[in-house]
């Protein structure tokens, strides 16, 4: 079949003009907003005021963008320790929206928005969707979860503001998702990349080939994913798969986005000031060096955040982007510093495992890492689904595939891991963020 759908074309929305501001003007705007947000945080949030006073800092000491390094860091436990309203800089009568994290590792994180904050968030999401080639006339199926999670309403407001038709389907009910994709002429979908992989597989079982539909753009975020996963998605659905980035502590989705070049994510740095630091020392790193992303909100009114340590590992990309945007780019985030686990003295990230598995033909992008301890020794087992064709093949073919995966993991990780091949659909699917690691080592202590 010949693909007659148009390629993803650049979309220019009036809000996108901010993406092309000359660097000198952008820096002047950032400084003015930084000074304002530091002053607001100092005056209205006890945590920031006390920490600045401990350093002998006052708002008027921030005279240049470089002075941001003098400010204290904020970490996730600060938001939990001040639960629920301790970091609010606005009275509740000015707050029009509250969101919260799931709270799976303790008290949830509560974040607040004034009406102005919602408008800034919507502006950032319009720019995000425009950079992914979405505009007026598109039909957007929003499969991010609605409710306290920021993803659903963040994408929804942006899609409506850009002039698209929004289908607020939320997550779950996969068969209905596929019916809607097919019957309503959906041209763009927003969800996690792992859930879209599940949609591809389930559609195939239902006799629906996503490559035959009007769908042309996927806006994927909320979890790290690799270039190997992108290639798998694009080859099996014939869409353009774009990575977006955001976090509830800062605003939600809309902090950064890939453009049509798919070479790094542009940070909307007129609203979110980025730094890359050494996660061990906290020192600012030179451009191009890999480290931890730190973000400061420049426009947030209800809940300003100073130098938030995201734990996401990335680096600034040098040189201008061919798309013409003047916003700085970061390398797409494929791992978090706190996702790392140590096995037999070797640092391992789940993204490394994913890249190794997808480099071997016959495997599916569904895997689970299980860590155990026997007689004081750590063991690592990787359960990986294989295609139906391979699984139904001869035992010798399965053993050969297993050996190839063991070798590939050894090459990538530098350690030997056990590999267990499992049937398709054996590993539990997630409608949100995929669970990649189960650490049972503590059960042996």
């Amino acid at each position: 079949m010949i693909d007659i759908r148009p390629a993803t074309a650049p979309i220019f929305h009036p809000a996108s003009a901010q993406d092309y501001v000359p660097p000198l003007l952008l820096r002047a705007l950032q400084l003015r907003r930084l000074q304002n947000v530091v002053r607001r945080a100092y005056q209205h949030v006890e945590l920031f005021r006390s920490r600045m006073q401990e350093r002998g800092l006052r708002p008027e000491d921030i005279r240049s963008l470089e002075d941001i390094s003098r400010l204290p860091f904020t970490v996730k436990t600060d938001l939990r320790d001040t639960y629920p309203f301790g970091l609010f800089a606005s009275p509740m009568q000015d707050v029009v929206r509250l969101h919260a994290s799931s709270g799976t590792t303790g008290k949830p994180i509560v974040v607040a928005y004034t009406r102005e904050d919602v408008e800034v968030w919507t502006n950032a999401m319009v720019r995000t969707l425009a950079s992914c080639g979405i505009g007026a006339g598109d039909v957007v199926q929003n499969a991010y979860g609605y409710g306290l999670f920021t993803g659903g309403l963040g994408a929804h407001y942006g899609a409506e503001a850009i002039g698209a038709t929004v289908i607020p389907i939320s997550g779950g009910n996969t068969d209905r998702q596929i019916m809607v994709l097919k019957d309503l002429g959906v041209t763009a979908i927003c969800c996690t990349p792992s859930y879209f992989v599940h949609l591809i597989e389930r559609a195939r079982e239902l006799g629906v080939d996503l490559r035959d539909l009007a769908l042309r753009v996927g806006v994927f975020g909320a979890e790290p994913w690799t270039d190997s996963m992108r290639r798998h998605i694009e080859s099996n659905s014939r869409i353009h798969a774009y990575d977006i980035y955001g976090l509830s502590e800062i605003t939600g989705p809309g902090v950064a986005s890939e453009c049509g070049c798919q070479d790094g994510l542009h940070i909307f740095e007129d609203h979110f000031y980025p730094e890359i630091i050494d996660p061990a020392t906290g020192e600012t790193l030179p451009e191009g060096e890999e480290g931890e992303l730190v973000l400061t909100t420049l426009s947030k009114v209800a809940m300003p955040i100073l130098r938030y340590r995201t734990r996401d590992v990335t680096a600034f990309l040098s040189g201008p982007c061919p798309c013409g945007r003047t916003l700085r780019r970061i390398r797409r985030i494929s791992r978090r510093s706190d996702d790392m686990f140590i096995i037999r003295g070797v640092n391992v990230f789940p993204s490394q495992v994913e890249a190794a598995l997808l480099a071997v033909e016959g495997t599916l992008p569904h895997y689970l890492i299980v860590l155990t301890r026997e007689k004081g020794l750590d063991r690592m087992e990787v359960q990986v689904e294989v295609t139906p064709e391979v699984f139904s093949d001869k035992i010798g073919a399965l053993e050969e595939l297993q050996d190839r995966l063991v070798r590939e993991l050894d090459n990538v990780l530098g350690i030997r891991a056990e590999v267990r091949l499992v049937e398709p659909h054996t590993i539990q699917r997630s409608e949100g963020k995929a669970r990649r690691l189960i650490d049972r080592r503590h059960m042996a202590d």
Side-chain angles (χ1 to χ4, degrees):
M1 177 179 294
I2 299 175
D3 184 11
I4 60 173
R5 293 171 298 169
T8 302
I11 298 293
F12 185 83
H13 186 276
S16 300
Q18 299 167 78
D19 299 350
Y20 302 88
V21 172
L24 286 178
L25 291 180
L26 176 60
R27 299 295 171 253
L29 175 64
Q30 288 175 319
L31 177 57
R32 186 168 67 251
R33 288 181 171 174
L34 175 63
Q35 291 169 331
N36 288 337
V37 79
V38 169
R39 188 179 305 110
R40 182 172 183 81
Y42 185 92
Q43 292 174 348
H44 298 286
V45 182
E46 171 59 30
L47 178 74
F48 296 130
R49 180 168 56 254
S50 62
R51 287 187 177 174
M52 287 179 64
Q53 288 174 344
E54 288 173 4
R55 295 184 171 212
L57 275 178
R58 296 184 60 83
E60 53 266 28
D61 296 325
I62 305 302
R63 300 185 179 92
S64 69
L65 288 175
E66 288 69 30
D67 286 335
I68 195 172
S69 63
R70 303 174 63 187
L71 295 169
F73 290 115
T74 308
V75 295
K76 180 167 285 191
T77 54
D78 292 330
L79 282 79
R80 291 200 173 105
D81 291 345
T82 55
Y83 172 90
F85 308 135
L87 292 187
F88 287 16
S90 294
M92 193 59 75
Q93 60 261 33
D94 293 339
V95 173
V96 299
R97 179 92 65 80
L98 294 176
H99 281 282
S101 69
S102 59
T104 55
T105 56
K107 289 183 178 179
I109 289 169
V110 178
V111 291
Y113 304 78
T114 65
R115 192 167 302 282
E116 180 183 352
D117 292 333
V118 173
E119 290 173 358
V120 168
W121 188 13
T122 300
N123 170 276
M125 280 307 300
V126 166
R127 294 157 68 182
T128 294
L129 297 175
S131 69
C132 296
I134 297 173
D138 273 304
V139 179
V140 177
Q141 184 162 326
N142 187 15
Y144 285 122
Y146 282 69
L148 291 179
F149 174 58
T150 55
L153 285 175
H156 184 116
Y157 271 49
E160 280 192 343
I162 208 170
T165 300
V166 185
I167 303 173
I169 197 167
S170 193
N173 202 333
T174 302
D175 288 3
R176 182 179 61 180
Q177 299 265 4
I178 294 164
M179 178 189 71
V180 169
L181 280 172
K182 181 173 178 289
D183 294 348
L184 301 190
V186 172
T187 58
I189 187 169
C190 302
C191 63
T192 62
S194 57
Y195 186 59
F196 188 76
V197 169
H198 179 48
L199 285 175
I200 292 173
E201 295 174 349
R202 181 56 181 158
R204 189 176 293 125
E205 293 173 355
L206 295 174
V208 177
D209 190 337
L210 297 187
R211 293 173 295 187
D212 296 333
L213 305 186
L215 188 65
R216 62 182 185 83
V217 175
V219 179
F220 302 127
E223 63 186 17
W225 53 303
T226 62
D227 282 327
S228 299
M229 177 79 86
R230 191 212 300 271
R231 289 191 292 270
H232 176 85
I233 287 174
E234 292 190 338
S235 64
N236 284 277
S237 63
R238 208 174 294 161
I239 68 170
H240 297 271
Y242 293 101
D243 189 20
I244 67 169
Y245 175 74
L247 57 168
S248 297
E249 300 92 316
I250 299 301
T251 192
V255 172
S257 175
E258 286 187 320
C259 63
C261 299
Q262 293 180 317
D263 183 21
L265 290 84
H266 294 275
I267 292 186
F268 299 115
E269 53 180 324
D270 50 325
H271 296 306
F272 316 106
Y273 189 83
E275 302 171 80
I276 304 292
I277 66 165
D278 183 323
T281 67
E283 295 298 317
T284 303
L285 294 174
E287 183 171 309
E289 287 195 24
E290 181 180 86
E292 180 184 343
L293 177 64
V294 171
L295 293 168
T296 295
T297 62
L298 298 180
S299 307
K300 200 75 182 285
V301 175
M303 192 171 163
I305 297 292
L306 306 181
R307 305 194 78 199
Y308 183 75
R309 296 190 60 164
T310 68
R311 303 297 180 184
D312 293 317
V313 178
T314 186
F316 285 122
L317 296 178
S318 60
C321 182
C323 76
R325 287 175 173 81
T326 55
L327 302 171
R328 280 185 289 181
R329 290 173 296 150
I330 55 171
R331 192 181 61 205
R332 62 196 308 254
I333 294 164
S334 60
R335 61 188 177 95
R336 290 175 51 84
S337 61
D338 53 1
D339 276 348
M340 184 188 77
F341 60 92
I342 300 175
I343 181 110
R344 299 194 289 275
V346 177
N347 298 342
V348 178
F349 291 91
S351 59
Q352 294 174 294
V353 175
E354 179 178 301
L357 297 179
L358 289 177
V360 178
E361 186 176 356
T363 61
L364 295 171
H366 297 293
Y367 64 94
L368 184 65
I369 304 165
V370 181
L371 305 180
T372 56
R373 180 174 293 140
E374 293 184 7
K375 298 179 180 179
L377 297 176
D378 288 349
R379 296 176 62 246
M380 173 179 169
E381 178 187 83
V382 181
Q383 301 173 14
V384 55
E385 290 187 10
V386 297
T387 61
E389 296 77 16
V390 171
F391 200 85
S392 61
D393 211 335
K394 298 178 181 178
I395 294 178
L398 287 173
E399 291 177 344
E400 180 184 353
L401 175 60
Q402 188 176 37
D403 289 342
R404 283 162 50 206
L405 288 170
V406 169
R407 290 195 301 271
E408 188 66 27
L409 285 168
D410 195 359
N411 290 335
V412 172
L413 304 179
I415 59 172
R416 189 169 182 83
E418 300 174 31
V419 172
R420 180 154 69 95
L421 303 181
V422 299
E423 296 183 64
H425 304 292
T426 301
I427 295 173
Q428 184 176 0
R429 304 299 191 259
S430 172
E431 297 166 6
K433 299 182 181 182
R435 187 183 187 190
R436 302 298 194 193
L437 175 68
I438 297 177
D439 192 343
R440 295 176 176 152
R441 291 177 291 184
H442 66 283
M443 299 173 65
D445 294 338

